[in-house]
Structure formats: C-alpha cells, structure tokens
Amino acid sequence: MLSLFDKNQRWRKKALATTKDESFRQYLLNDFPKTSQTVSETEFLVLDFETTGLDSKKDHIISAGWVEISKNKIQLASAEHHLISTKKQLSGQSVSIHNLTDDMISQGVPITIFFKYLLKKITGKVVIAHYKKIEYEFLQQISNSIFGCHLPIIMLDTLMIEKKIREKANKPIVVNELRLFNLRNHYNLPRYHAHNALEDAIATAELFLAQINKHFSSPDKLKIKALLY
Amino acid sequence: MEIEKLEIYDFLKKCHPLDKLSEAQLTELAQSIEISYFRRSQEVFKPETNNEYLYLIRSGAVERTDDSHGLVAKFTEKDFFGHRALERGGTIKKFVHAVEDSLFYMIPGHLYFKLMKENKAFLSYFHQEKNKRLRSAINEIHAHDRNILDSTSVRELLHTDILILPPETSIQETAIRMSSDNKTAAIIMQNNQIVGIVTDRVFCTKVVANTLDSGTPVATIMSQNLISVTPENTGLDAMLIMARNNIRHLPVVENQQLLGVLTATDLIHHQSYNPIYAINEIHKATEISQLVLLCKTLPQTLCKLVDAGMRAHDISYSISSVGRAVAQRLLKMAEKKFGPSPVDYAFVVAGSLARNDQTVHSDQDNGIILSDDYNENEHGEYFKNLAQFVSDGLNQCGYVYCPGDVMATNTQWRQPYSVWKSYFHKWIFTPKPKALMYSSIFFDMRCIYGNRKLLDDLHDEIHEMITKNKLFITYMAANAQQNTPPLGIFRRFVLEKHGEEDKSLNMKKRGIMPCTDMARVFALDAGINQINTRERLKQAHECKIISKEAKNDLLDAFDFLCLIRLKHQAGQIKQGKEANNHVSPEELSSLERRHLKDAFEIIRTYQDVLSNRYTQGRM
C-alpha cells in the first residue's frame, strides 16, 4: 500500500513542478482520499470507457460513462455519459460491439476538454472500474499526451476485489466467471441487456456495493486500503 | 445525461403506479434515485430509527416483521416499501430484513410527497389505508359517470328516412303524407335547400287554431327559423337545444346537406336500454314467448348499464327488477290460466333475486307460503300446476331450474305457513350443516306476489326464535367463514380451476358471498328485515351491531367486487360468451388487481372479527 501512496506522491510532486494547466493543478492541489478512510466516508466515481481497442497507445476512447457513490449509495443524479470525438476511423469490429456509428462518435467531445472535465469530477474521489487496467492505462496515456506527466489517482478494481474474495475462500475461478455480467448474476443483481459505458458503470457500481455488503464486515469499518489490489 | 435511455428507466415504467407518471415526472424520479444493496438477512429497517426514502425493490425480496419477528408482509421485485414510515414523519415501526440479496432503488421522501400531490394514480396507490384507497378507486371509476347521450354523437342517433316536400304542397296533402308515412315532421325543401320544417304540432297551433283552408301551401305554416345540429354534436347537445327552444325535431345538416332528422323520441329510444322500458313491456306481455324475447335483451341491457358507468348496486337492482317483473307476470298468466287462487299464498323468491343482487340470468330460487287454510286434497293440484307453470316459464326466460331443487315445484318448498314455521324452528334450534345451508337461502326471502303478510308474519316468528337461541347466530357466523377470500400469504391471489378455463378468481364464491353471508349474520343479530346486502350493512350499523368504519369498509369492498364482476360479465357478453363469475387476474389492470386485493383483505379482516365476536367464547 505504501508503494501506491509513494508513487502517487512522487507523481503529484513532479506534475505540480511541470504543469501550468490550471485544471490539472486544481486536481493535484486538492486533498486526495486517504487509503485509511472507510468506505462509508469515501466518495467514489465508478468509471467505464468504451474504446476502439485495448492498446492505449494506438486506440481511442469512444465514450465514457460514470456514476458516483456516496454514503454507500449510488447517486443516479450524478450519472453522466459522453461521446469522445476521434479523427481515427473505427475498425468495423468494435463498431458492431458498441452499436455506435462514426457519425455519433464524431459528434463527441474533444478528448482534451473531456479529460479536464473528468479531472474535476474525480477530484477528491476514489475511482472504481471493472478490470481497471484499461481505464487506468488510457487515463495515463491521455495525461501524458496532454500534460506530459503521469496522473496520480487511487483506483479500485471490482474484478480484482472479486478475485481476492475467491482466493481467500479457496474457491477456484472458472473461465469468464469474473466478467462483469457473470458476477452480477452471482450477486442476484438484475440482468442488463444494453451495453454502453454508462450502463456498464452503473452495473459496476452495483457490483461494488454487492461485494462490500456481502463479503466485508461493515462499510463503516472497511478501509479503502483493504480493497486496493 | 439521457436517463430515458437507461434500462433503469424501462424498469421504472413497468412498475405500477410509476407507469402512470408523466414523462417529466418519471424523468425527475429516475434522476433522483439512489441505489443500495443489502445482502440476505441484512437489516434494512429497524424500529424507532428514521427512514427518508420510498424503497422500490429492483431485485431480491424483503420481509416486514413485527417486534416478536412475526411475519407481517413480504415484498419482492417491483414492490414498494417505506412509504408508511414516510407518512408518519419517518419513524420506522417494524423490522424489514432482506430475505434475498437485494438491490433497492431509493426514491427521496420529498419526491414521494411531491408525487402524492401531483399524480392521482400515485396517490391512490400509496394511500395509507387500503379502505381509503379502495374508496378513491371506486370514486375514480364513477368519476366517468356520464349521461350516455354525452358519449353518443348525433350521427349515431339520427334517422334518415325523412319526408321531404316542396313548399307549394297544400297543407292537406302534407297532413295526408305525414299520416301515411307515419311521420311527425316533414322537411320543406326548394332547390336542394332546406327552407322550413312542419311538425304535427303546427296543425294544432296554426292550421286548426287559425281555421286555415286545406289548400293553403305548406310554406305559410312551416317554421322557417330553422334550428339544426351537425352530426358531430352529441346527443346531449341535441337534447339541450330541444329543451331550450321547446322543439322536438332537429334537422341534421352537414356541409349544407340534409342528413336526417333527430327527434326527441330518438333520444328517448336511445336510452331505452333503461330497464324501466323492459319492465313496462313485461307487464304488457300476454304470451310467454314475448317474455322470452324481452329477457333475451337482458345481457345487452347489462352491458349498456355497465358502459354508462352506473353504480354496481343500481345495475343489480335494475336487473333484479326485470327478474321480479318476469316472475310476477308469469304468476298473473298462471292465475288467468288456472283461475283465481282458492286460498291466500305468498310467492317468495330467495337468493340473489331476493337480495336485488342479480346480474345476468341466474338460477331460480323460489317457494310458496300457503295460508293455513290450505287443504292438500282440495287445493294441491291448483298450486302444483301454478308452480309448474311459473317455474317452466322462468326456465324458458333464462332463469334456469335450480340445481338444488329450491323451487316451488318441489312440494317441500310449497307448504302452508305452519310447516314453514316448523322448518325454521328445526333449522334454528338444531342447526346441522344442511339446516345452515337452507337458512342461508331462506333468510334471504322476498315476497314478490300474493299476500305478503304471510312472509312478514313468518319473519317475525323467525326473529322471535333467534332471540331465544342466540347460539344459532354463532353457527351462522361460523358458516359465514367457510368461503374465504382468495388471498394467500403475501397478498398473492389464490386461483382456482374452473372447467375448461384457465385458473381464475371466483368473484361470487370468494368475494361477494362472504360479504353477503356476513351481512346476513349482522341482520339476524340485529333482528332486521332488510334483505339487500348493502341495506343490511347500513341497518346493522344503525342498530350498533357494526361500527361505522366496518360498514363503510364492507360496503366499499362489496361495491368494488360487484363492479369488477359486472365489468367482467359485460366483457364476456360483448365477446359473445356466456357470462360467469370467474375473473382471470390477467383481464384486470394492475391497479384493479391491487384494489381487488384490498377488497379481499378487508373481507378477510372482518371475517376474523366475526369469528372473534361470535364464535370464540360462545361455543
């Protein structure tokens, strides 16, 4: 845990020394959530990106959806969904997955504007994603290309949380079992059919609440660091 | 964010009463939802803590339990809870636990109160008391009460076979044509233009009063000041125009073309579904075949009464009046055929007809109380014939023979006064199951023909006997609990198989009969002579047998059940089916289903009250 703290601190210092961008500085100067605080005390932003592929260097974010959790409740009022503009043509395959057309995507928000807006939203919050590697790498990639430095951020991963829960219980993990929609089934969460970034973010947020309530003592006592994998 | 595009929004739209919210209301609601998750057996509500939300179960289930952890209610997907606490300012009174892993959509309290104010369906769904909820539902149904003419256009009412004459026609010729065509009015037209109208009344007011020559052209007497209506006007509009102008004929004009004429008689005819007309015709009938024909229109009459938004008890009363009239007319015919009766008798009907609860054709339940002057050898044949004639006639008219043989044709139910008295004595003092069954039938007895004093005296004797043996009421009370409302635990409907049909709710046996049975017990206890269930409940309250609340609750439940049954039957008739009492939950709206559950629950509650009052401690 210390290493994450150290890394974030290091990145923060470095970023503050290099960037002059006001919105980024605001983000950096604000207090970060402490990993020693409890889930109940923490504000979360559950994030999901739809991307053209898995490689953050080559691929692009098509859309982003998020919803916030505070006081252990998902706040639907905070839900947002944005299309991100990209000049790159989409490969036919990913279009069919996400049901978005080139036209719809080209109407989106430019990535720089979007990113600064997102920074404002995640200020002081812990970010959650399912299989956070994708969101994390894209965030770092964008931060690097816009500001030329890393983005200090605390992120939880519902997939990793589930993996740890199962490891602790000595339960074997079956192929595909940790996928978001299979896990939801496991927690008696409703089946969602749609597949867009916001719908996935809400689905992930619900999964997070389910995990917390089902496998840990009480969100009033559960600390963030116990969920950091 | 476009919340309307989310699956959550679709889910909300499927949850009654949220489906009745406007788009804007639903969007506001969706946007303010907070989502929480509770694992199985986790406590959601604890007494004496505070709740600020209306909970909607998205998945999972919860149980509400009292202090001793006795189960009070179970809620599952699409159910709401928490509103009771909101209504009392937030204080929680009962435990709520998740019994499955559950996801809840929480609607903030302020929004709940806002919607209670803004949306009627929302209000009536969450109304605190199920009895109040039911009452507001009944009122809502009758809010659509309207004069049937209001919903009928002139186009549907007008008649097109009109007498058209040129203005130069002589008044004599006009009179002859009107008389031969059997018309009360003629339209005077020239060059395809309406120039006037003459009605039969003008021959009194202008022709005879002014002693006009018969050769005078009709133009001189026609009224030129033409008041007309368009086919789009409603029947009610037309009626008001007639009343305001004191006229009885209205030309119907569309695009300056004469379409037809609407007369006051047309308007009356349209209302002739009114059973008063049928009853009038019944009393004029001289042949059974005429009665049969008149009775054939009864199902259509029922449909029209239901469509007109009449109250259930008014409809049943109307239909019962027809049933009574048919029996009375048959008795008159019988007396004409077999001669005047040798001794006094009272022809009595029992069951729904006696209670004025009849819907469409039901079985005939009847009997004859003969005067004690009756002598089997002398008079037996006469009354046997009379009973047979009436019973056969009723059967032909659709009031089929009673399967239990409770008919005047059965010598058991065609007996002198003293024998009837001994029947009741036996039933009351040795109440065996069969006795209780007969009691239920014959305590609802109405004299529709003959000397009604015979029945009145019998009623007095019966009350006398009951006062001497109050235990009998206990038995009747127990009997009144045999048919229970079709609700399982957790307010689920318990469906029954009925013949070929899918599983359904037996509205008569499971709803209306329990009400009727309870009302009878109260009537017996109060010693009142009312037969109609509603009257019995009202009178029982006057006699302080039941509280005002009980009276109102049971009246509402009874009215609602009767209304649902009538609507169901009207629906069947329109589909060309035989009307029955078996309502499938699918044919009800979800709001109706909920109100029906309320009604059943009210009945169940009062059955328990009945049990506590009469059965326990006395037996």
Side-chain angles (χ1 to χ4, degrees):
Chain A
M1 303 311 128
L2 263 174
S3 67
L4 173 85
F5 181 76
D6 286 349
K7 189 171 74 185
N8 270 336
Q9 279 300 86
R10 216 167 51 235
W11 285 358
R12 206 170 154 189
K13 271 184 197 157
K14 197 180 162 200
L16 277 170
T18 45
T19 190
K20 290 197 174 75
D21 183 89
E22 210 27 61
S23 50
F24 194 32
R25 291 187 69 84
Q26 278 299 320
Y27 172 77
L28 297 165
L29 288 167
N30 237 291
D31 281 345
F32 273 57
K34 294 182 186 67
T35 55
S36 60
Q37 69 191 43
T38 66
V39 168
S40 297
E41 296 168 323
T42 307
E43 295 196 329
F44 299 93
L45 185 140
V46 188
L47 181 67
D48 187 77
F49 289 159
E50 301 292 339
T51 60
T52 54
L54 298 178
D55 186 345
S56 61
K57 290 196 176 66
K58 287 193 301 193
D59 293 307
H60 289 263
I61 302 173
I62 302 166
S63 64
W66 65 76
V67 69
E68 291 173 22
I69 298 175
S70 67
K71 298 189 181 71
N72 303 315
K73 292 191 286 277
I74 299 164
Q75 311 291 329
L76 267 197
S78 67
E80 293 192 37
H81 185 246
H82 297 282
L83 301 179
I84 316 298
S85 71
T86 170
K87 279 163 199 128
K88 257 195 180 174
Q89 283 292 309
L90 296 166
S91 76
Q93 203 188 2
S94 58
V95 170
S96 67
I97 293 171
H98 304 298
N99 272 328
L100 296 173
T101 63
D102 281 9
D103 273 343
M104 286 161 74
I105 292 156
S106 64
Q107 283 164 9
V109 194
I111 189 71
T112 316
I113 294 174
F114 166 76
F115 191 70
K116 289 180 181 176
Y117 179 72
L118 181 62
L119 284 183
K120 213 161 79 186
K121 289 285 167 184
I122 62 174
T123 301
K125 296 191 182 89
V126 170
V127 176
I128 302 174
H130 191 75
Y131 191 52
K132 71 177 177 188
K133 188 169 177 282
I134 301 200
E135 279 74 15
Y136 185 81
E137 282 180 2
F138 273 92
L139 285 171
Q140 294 303 344
Q141 178 63 35
I142 302 162
S143 180
N144 266 319
S145 66
I146 300 174
F147 306 120
C149 47
H150 290 294
L151 175 74
I153 187 170
I154 301 177
M155 271 189 94
L156 300 184
D157 185 344
T158 44
L159 186 142
M160 287 307 289
I161 291 172
E162 188 64 30
K163 210 173 152 197
K164 289 288 167 190
I165 288 167
R166 289 179 185 224
E167 277 171 15
K168 271 184 201 162
N170 280 323
K171 274 191 201 155
I173 294 161
V174 185
V175 184
N176 280 340
E177 210 181 1
L178 295 182
R179 296 182 65 160
L180 178 57
F181 288 86
N182 295 336
L183 281 179
R184 287 177 59 83
N185 207 13
H186 171 73
Y187 284 99
N188 197 26
L189 290 167
R191 188 182 293 271
Y192 284 161
H193 302 283
H195 189 59
N196 79 36
L198 176 55
E199 212 88 62
D200 281 1
I202 294 170
T204 305
E206 288 174 355
L207 174 63
F208 177 72
L209 289 186
Q211 290 172 327
I212 296 301
N213 279 286
K214 212 160 161 64
H215 295 291
F216 298 91
S217 55
S218 156
D220 295 343
K221 290 181 191 135
L222 179 63
K223 292 191 171 142
I224 297 298
K225 60 182 165 198
L227 300 167
L228 272 170
Y229 305 111
Chain B
M1 179 193 46
E2 291 153 324
I3 199 142
E4 305 79 27
K5 287 187 184 157
L6 293 182
E7 291 206 21
I8 290 176
Y9 193 81
D10 293 335
F11 172 78
L12 295 174
K13 272 203 293 199
K14 282 184 210 141
C15 297
H16 188 76
L18 305 184
D19 55 341
K20 304 282 179 197
L21 298 185
S22 69
E23 292 275 318
Q25 286 170 332
L26 193 61
T27 303
E28 186 186 5
L29 181 129
Q31 273 168 347
S32 50
I33 277 179
E34 298 177 28
I35 304 172
S36 63
Y37 184 94
F38 285 74
R39 67 169 182 275
R40 182 172 29 182
S41 81
Q42 198 176 347
E43 187 177 86
V44 186
F45 282 180
K46 186 181 177 176
E48 304 314 317
T49 58
N50 218 44
N51 167 45
E52 290 166 5
Y53 296 92
L54 172 67
Y55 283 71
L56 168 62
I57 303 177
R58 175 61 179 90
S59 60
V62 300
E63 275 180 4
R64 182 192 284 152
T65 51
D66 56 21
D67 294 340
S68 51
H69 290 271
L71 180 64
V72 181
K74 183 174 173 172
F75 303 101
T76 178
E77 198 181 299
K78 292 187 190 157
D79 286 341
F80 293 89
F81 66 95
H83 49 284
R84 292 198 198 189
L86 286 178
E87 288 288 347
R88 63 172 91 88
T91 314
I92 290 163
K93 292 276 185 204
K94 298 220 160 63
F95 285 101
V96 172
H97 283 93
V99 288
E100 290 168 23
D101 293 338
S102 301
L103 192 71
F104 303 130
Y105 290 167
M106 299 161 65
I107 298 153
H110 67 86
L111 196 61
Y112 165 84
F113 288 112
K114 185 171 173 236
L115 290 171
M116 288 293 269
K117 271 196 211 119
E118 283 181 358
N119 189 287
K120 259 194 181 164
F122 194 86
L123 173 73
S124 76
Y125 189 88
F126 288 108
H127 221 306
Q128 276 312 281
E129 315 291 338
K130 49 184 168 291
N131 45 8
K132 282 187 195 146
R133 212 153 59 200
L134 192 56
R135 198 156 309 152
S136 77
I138 293 170
N139 287 337
E140 202 168 308
I141 292 165
H142 291 295
H144 306 301
D145 276 14
R146 277 173 158 189
N147 188 315
I148 184 108
L149 285 176
D150 197 20
S151 53
T152 313
S153 70
V154 165
R155 194 187 293 282
E156 297 167 64
L157 298 167
L158 62 87
H159 62 269
T160 48
D161 54 331
I162 36 181
L163 179 62
I164 299 171
L165 296 171
E168 57 274 11
T169 319
S170 73
I171 51 176
Q172 186 180 24
E173 172 73 9
T174 307
I176 291 166
R177 287 291 302 276
M178 282 172 69
S179 165
S180 63
D181 286 16
N182 201 14
K183 290 280 183 294
T184 53
I187 301 288
I188 312 302
M189 287 185 85
Q190 192 171 33
N191 305 329
N192 255 341
Q193 291 276 314
I194 310 169
V195 291
I197 184 169
V198 281
T199 65
D200 47 5
R201 200 158 54 157
V202 85
F203 287 91
C204 301
T205 56
K206 288 189 182 159
V207 179
V208 181
N210 298 338
T211 56
L212 283 183
D213 186 79
S214 60
T216 318
V218 71
T220 53
I221 61 159
M222 71 185 183
S223 109
Q224 289 164 290
N225 194 4
L226 264 194
I227 302 162
S228 63
V229 288
T230 72
E232 271 68 48
N233 281 111
T234 66
L236 194 64
D237 293 339
M239 195 163 82
L240 290 172
I241 292 169
M242 287 183 194
R244 225 172 274 142
N245 298 290
N246 192 26
I247 52 175
R248 289 174 299 153
H249 298 82
L250 284 173
V252 183
V253 179
E254 186 177 42
N255 302 326
Q256 280 148 12
Q257 290 291 310
L258 180 68
L259 280 188
V261 169
L262 185 71
T263 68
T265 320
D266 294 330
L267 293 177
I268 293 166
H269 269 302
H270 189 68
Q271 288 187 305
S272 65
Y273 63 80
N274 191 328
I276 291 168
Y277 290 86
I279 290 163
N280 212 3
E281 295 298 308
I282 287 165
H283 283 302
K284 281 195 269 178
T286 51
E287 304 280 334
I288 292 182
S289 61
Q290 290 171 283
L291 293 178
V292 172
L293 223 57
L294 284 165
C295 286
K296 281 219 170 92
T297 64
L298 213 47
Q300 265 64 48
T301 303
L302 179 121
C303 288
K304 282 183 175 160
L305 294 174
V306 172
D307 288 349
M310 267 176 75
R311 280 166 196 276
H313 50 94
D314 290 331
I315 298 172
S316 306
Y317 184 86
S318 302
I319 301 292
S320 304
S321 303
V322 174
R324 255 196 327 266
V326 171
Q328 284 163 345
R329 192 66 208 158
L330 284 167
L331 281 154
K332 280 224 172 93
M333 288 179 185
E335 285 188 354
K336 200 173 170 202
K337 186 172 179 184
F338 304 114
S341 70
V343 294
D344 269 5
Y345 72 98
F347 190 89
V348 294
V349 292
S352 61
L353 182 54
R355 290 190 300 268
N356 284 327
D357 264 354
Q358 210 154 46
T359 55
V360 276
H361 290 175
S362 30
D363 309 345
Q364 46 171 306
D365 295 312
N366 49 47
I368 292 176
I369 306 170
L370 297 155
S371 144
D372 278 337
D373 299 335
Y374 171 81
N375 174 317
E376 171 73 40
N377 291 334
E378 266 181 69
H379 313 128
E381 191 66 17
Y382 175 87
F383 285 105
K384 185 172 176 254
N385 289 335
L386 178 126
Q388 197 61 53
F389 180 87
V390 173
S391 183
D392 290 349
L394 285 172
N395 188 58
Q396 278 178 269
C397 286
Y399 302 93
V400 295
Y401 297 123
C402 169
D405 210 12
V406 178
M407 291 185 291
T409 45
N410 180 347
T411 45
Q412 197 184 353
W413 311 122
R414 194 175 71 240
Q415 288 292 336
Y417 180 83
S418 49
V419 178
W420 278 99
K421 199 177 130 186
S422 70
Y423 285 163
F424 277 98
H425 190 275
K426 202 170 100 197
W427 295 336
I428 291 168
F429 288 95
T430 44
K432 296 206 174 95
K434 190 121 196 176
L436 291 169
M437 191 195 86
Y438 283 135
S439 301
S440 306
I441 297 170
F442 286 107
F443 278 126
D444 301 349
M445 200 154 59
R446 192 184 287 273
C447 172
I448 60 157
Y449 195 82
N451 186 352
R452 59 168 299 164
K453 194 172 179 301
L454 288 164
L455 180 62
D456 288 347
D457 289 351
L458 191 60
H459 269 145
D460 290 345
E461 303 247 22
I462 292 166
H463 288 313
E464 185 75 27
M465 291 181 221
I466 290 172
T467 347
K468 283 185 191 143
N469 185 22
K470 281 269 183 186
L471 191 62
F472 175 72
I473 296 176
T474 304
Y475 283 105
M476 287 296 281
N479 198 49
Q481 286 161 52
Q482 279 191 345
N483 290 314
T484 49
L487 279 187
I489 45 170
F490 314 143
R491 277 169 66 90
R492 293 222 171 92
F493 284 130
V494 176
L495 303 180
E496 289 166 292
K497 194 111 178 95
H498 167 70
E500 293 294 293
E501 289 171 44
D502 286 339
K503 288 185 163 187
S504 59
L505 297 161
N506 189 334
M507 298 299 285
K508 186 181 175 190
K509 190 175 162 203
R510 297 299 192 165
I512 294 167
M513 259 178 47
C515 271
T516 308
D517 288 345
M518 276 193 273
R520 186 182 306 109
V521 174
F522 299 142
L524 290 173
D525 195 8
I528 51 181
N529 284 327
Q530 266 76 14
I531 307 164
N532 178 265
T533 299
R534 300 184 92 256
E535 296 302 320
R536 278 175 167 170
L537 291 170
K538 285 185 195 165
Q539 204 58 41
H541 166 59
E542 296 289 311
C543 298
K544 300 200 166 30
I545 295 290
I546 55 172
S547 69
K548 187 176 175 187
E549 195 196 353
K551 177 201 73 172
N552 287 336
D553 287 357
L554 284 169
L555 280 178
D556 287 340
F558 184 70
D559 285 351
F560 190 74
L561 293 167
C562 290
L563 193 67
I564 291 289
R565 174 168 73 163
L566 281 168
K567 282 174 111 181
H568 161 75
Q569 294 188 336
Q572 288 182 309
I573 291 164
K574 282 178 194 163
Q575 288 172 33
K577 290 186 198 161
E578 188 120 347
N580 63 25
N581 295 305
H582 303 274
V583 176
S584 145
E586 279 86 58
E587 68 186 86
L588 302 171
S589 74
S590 65
L591 192 62
E592 284 172 328
R593 277 202 289 274
R594 187 180 156 97
H595 292 314
L596 195 56
K597 285 179 180 176
D598 286 345
F600 283 140
E601 215 162 285
I602 285 170
I603 293 169
R604 184 155 72 181
T605 307
Y606 285 103
Q607 278 190 332
D608 289 346
V609 172
L610 195 76
S611 154
N612 285 331
R613 173 160 352 145
Y614 294 104
T615 318
Q616 289 169 12
R618 285 210 199 183
M619 287 180 84

